[in-house]
Amino acid sequence: MSAPIISVRDLFHRYGDFTAVDGISFEVSEGEIFSFLGPNGAGKSTAINVLITLLPLQQGSATVAGFHVAKDPERVRESIGIVFQDVTLDRDMTCREILEFHGHLYKMPNAERKERIEELLALVQLEGKQDTRTKNLSGGMKRRLEIARGLMTRPRVLFLDEPTIGLDPQTRMRMWEYIKAVNREGTTIFLTTHYMDEADHLSDRISIIDKGQIIATGTPAELKNTLGEDLIYLETSDGAGTRKILSDMDMVKHITQKPNGIVAMLNGDGTKILPMIIEALSLEGIRVNAVNLKKPSMDDVFVHYTGRELRDEGAEKPSTAVTRAGRR
Amino acid sequence: MHLGFLTIFWRDMLRFYRFKTLLISSLVQPALWMAFFGIAMSSNFNRFTSEIPPLPGVPTVDYLTFMAAGVIAMTTLFTNLFGGMSLLFDKNWGLMREIFASPLPRNHIIFGIALSGMTKSFIQAIIIMVFGILIGAQFFFGYTAIETFLAILGILLFVAVFSLGFLFLSAAIAISLESPEGMQGIMTLLTMPIFFASNALYPIDAFPPALQALSLINPLTYLVTGIRYFAIGGDFQAIGIHYQFTPIQIVFAFLFLVGFAAIMFAIAWWRFRKAVVT
Ligand SMILES: Nc1ncnc2c1ncn2[C@@H]1O[C@H](COP(=O)(O)OP(=O)(O)OP(=O)(O)O)[C@@H](O)[C@H]1O
Ligand SMILES: [Mg+2]
């Protein structure tokens, strides 16, 4: 495997006495989509701002595209594209002007700049809006324009800080498609999000970050599988017999009776345990009428690692967080 | 050479041009000053000073001509003192994060915005000169075409250096502050003493010593002196006072403004290097 395109070791960042990033280390390989998943205030933006050289490196080391963020910030800047958490557009410039300005900032040659603008306006489907001032764009269009801007210089790494915050569900899905399309063309993507489904859907690998620390890293499947809490729903010819057999198996943690069947929570990989269960049942002559295997969601993963549900300052439940975000 | 400052300049001029109200008000405002303040004051001053016997052999200029130079200077002051405001808006709501995260060296932001302030000041200075002459200011009186051309260049040179100085100051303040209201407050505090402790509208000879000392370290005084020298001449009388400027004095005034701009640039650069925008 090639050298990591982002490499962070023991990174700390403090605002006065407050430690926002509390010793994180991770690597991102070229071509990956890598996510920081964490609640509000976890330190995601702070970490990103150190990587993109907007905040000084206080402690630890970080390299991006092979360049050290403190020793070679210019080269880091030339190698990356950024979409900030808050909209960073001039309300009174047109889409084209926003892209022109960016191209000039990065000293792109004229011909290349013009060509790239056409390409990107097409990619994010804003050709029809190129002479519209950004204040007259919808939220999704603004975000798309910002992604186009982040891609102007064909960066090796694109940083996306909460790319779909405040977008409606359809727009979020389309956003995800853009992000995947960009990634397929070879751009490494580093994104932060506090949406479970977003991290799950987009990422090759996820680091769960909470209170400035990385508490778990892995592929979405790994994260969910290490949890080993697959759920199986069974409808059988003999409910009581099934319960007895299941409760004797040590891979089964917990059984819940449902009106027509049984839900068993497994403490192992359900894809492997399910055949064993079905076999054990058939040895006893019990017929399985219906079965459903459910993987735990990222929500379950998050609760497992943090001991809390993903919070918006405390009480909010993950399910409401997601639906509310969708409606925004 | 990195021409990144031209990008910043282009964008600021774009906004200037796009905001028609901003464009028009900044062009009309100096003309209004000339029209109302100039004409009103000159009719008064001319009456007060009509009793004073003129010095023989020294050309006399009326108050309108005298204060037109002050209005050019004042407009330049206001335009540039507020010129950094766009940086503050950019920092809070606009493109500053993008710019700070780009490879553009930060001093180019300062140069770019200063160049745009300078351009606006040129446009305004020319408008005031044209309008002033139309309503009777005796600028470039008795000059040949070449002399007039050179005199205008001289005025623009003074305006340029002065506007750089105040834009650097304004940029330094803008990048250090959080709120436009705060900046507005500081600007108002600054404009009063700068404008009134100067020779823009009246002579400083009769000031009490403290105020006079203040006016002598006031860049506005040197800008006004430079403009009067080029627009009126090195030897004239106005409102009963005999003005004489030697070329040495003019060179000194210019160098004073250059020094002021250099110090302000150093401050702005220091503030920009330290600035963190997230
Ligand atoms: N400039 C600052 N000064 C002081 N504290 C700050 C500053 N910026 C952020 N913080 C604090 O640092 C912590 C991490 O903030 P950060 O913005 O990195 O979180 P985040 O994970 O990006 O959250 P969100 O999902 O809300 O964007 C928060 O507690 C925040 O209050
Ligand atoms: Mg954030």
Side-chain angles (χ1 to χ4, degrees), chain A residues 143-159:
Chain A
R143 225 47 186 147
R144 267 144 57 194
L145 177 60
E146 291 190 309
I147 290 188
R149 178 175 69 186
L151 290 170
M152 271 295 281
T153 54
R154 299 181 192 278
R156 292 184 60 200
V157 190
L158 180 64
F159 288 88

Side-chain angles (χ1 to χ4, degrees), chain A residues 21-286:
Chain A
V21 173
D22 194 7
I24 59 174
S25 303
F26 63 94
E27 287 183 348
V28 179
S29 350
E30 181 130 38
E32 257 191 316
I33 300 186
F34 180 89
S35 302
F36 262 6
L37 171 65
N40 289 133
K44 305 182 296 292
S45 296
T46 305
I48 261 198
N49 283 333
V50 173
L51 293 182
I52 65 176
T53 74
L54 270 186
L55 282 175
L57 180 71
Q58 292 177 345
Q59 189 183 332
S61 84
T63 61
V64 175
F67 305 108
H68 192 274
V69 294
K71 294 180 193 138
D72 226 348
E74 298 290 306
R75 306 297 297 277
V76 171
R77 290 168 182 200
E78 285 164 5
S79 321
I80 61 175
I82 309 162
V83 176
F84 298 99
Q85 178 167 349
D86 309 309
V87 172
T88 305
L89 295 172
D90 183 328
R91 292 167 46 77
D92 291 290
M93 284 164 80
T94 65
C95 295
R96 177 174 285 277
E97 284 163 355
I98 290 283
L99 298 177
E100 286 276 350
F101 180 74
H102 192 80
H104 280 293
L105 272 187
Y106 285 74
K107 289 199 286 181
M108 289 176 80
N110 282 343
E112 188 190 335
R113 191 184 66 240
K114 302 263 181 257
E115 193 189 311
R116 189 74 179 140
I117 290 176
E118 301 308 328
E119 251 173 62
L120 288 170
L121 284 173
L123 174 74
V124 299
Q125 301 180 339
L126 283 176
E127 298 110 313
K129 297 281 180 184
Q130 53 174 297
D131 294 319
T132 304
R133 297 197 198 177
T134 66
K135 65 178 167 195
N136 297 328
L137 298 179
S138 73
M141 291 174 183
K142 284 183 191 157
R143 225 47 186 147
R144 267 144 57 194
L145 177 60
E146 291 190 309
I147 290 188
R149 178 175 69 186
L151 290 170
M152 271 295 281
T153 54
R154 299 181 192 278
R156 292 184 60 200
V157 190
L158 180 64
F159 288 88
L160 299 165
D161 198 354
E162 312 249 6
T164 64
I165 200 159
L167 303 181
D168 67 52
Q170 278 113 319
T171 315
R172 284 181 77 209
M173 307 269 216
R174 284 190 37 210
M175 222 61 204
W176 292 350
E177 292 317 307
Y178 291 124
I179 293 172
K180 290 198 152 175
V182 166
N183 176 250
R184 272 196 298 274
E185 290 185 2
T187 310
T188 307
I189 309 257
F190 183 115
L191 76 93
T192 76
T193 181
H194 62 259
Y195 299 134
M196 302 288 177
D197 56 338
E198 181 160 294
D200 201 358
H201 182 89
L202 277 180
S203 321
D204 294 314
R205 284 190 312 132
I206 300 174
S207 276
I208 297 180
I209 178 169
D210 189 33
K211 297 180 178 156
Q213 295 182 325
I214 290 179
I215 48 186
T217 300
T219 65
E222 275 167 9
L223 286 174
K224 286 182 280 191
N225 281 344
T226 51
L227 209 56
E229 285 184 357
D230 285 356
L231 304 175
I232 296 182
Y233 175 73
L234 286 169
E235 280 178 26
T236 60
S237 53
D238 174 2
T242 306
R243 266 212 308 284
K244 181 168 181 314
I245 292 170
L246 286 182
S247 51
D248 286 345
M249 299 177 82
D250 32 329
M251 309 89 132
V252 177
K253 244 170 119 178
H254 191 73
I255 301 169
T256 328
Q257 184 69 50
K258 296 276 165 176
N260 300 318
I262 287 172
V263 173
M265 189 183 282
L266 309 178
N267 56 11
D269 181 352
T271 53
K272 300 202 172 76
I273 297 171
L274 182 58
M276 294 155 70
I277 291 177
I278 293 175
E279 199 185 319
L281 289 173
S282 67
L283 282 177
E284 295 294 318
I286 300 172

Side-chain angles (χ1 to χ4, degrees), chain B residues 124-187:
Chain B
Q124 290 177 323
I126 288 169
I127 288 181
I128 302 169
M129 285 191 253
V130 170
F131 188 73
I133 290 170
L134 284 180
I135 64 170
Q138 292 172 304
F139 269 19
F140 316 122
F141 190 68
Y143 286 24
T144 64
I146 298 283
E147 280 168 344
T148 306
F149 179 72
L150 292 178
I152 291 174
L153 282 190
I155 292 173
L156 294 185
L157 194 63
F158 267 75
V159 166
V161 183
F162 179 88
S163 66
L164 289 183
F166 275 92
L167 243 161
F168 293 151
L169 172 64
S170 177
I173 294 172
I175 206 70
S176 311
L177 291 183
E178 295 296 328
S179 79
E181 291 80 9
M183 176 134 183
Q184 198 92 39
I186 293 183
M187 294 304 141

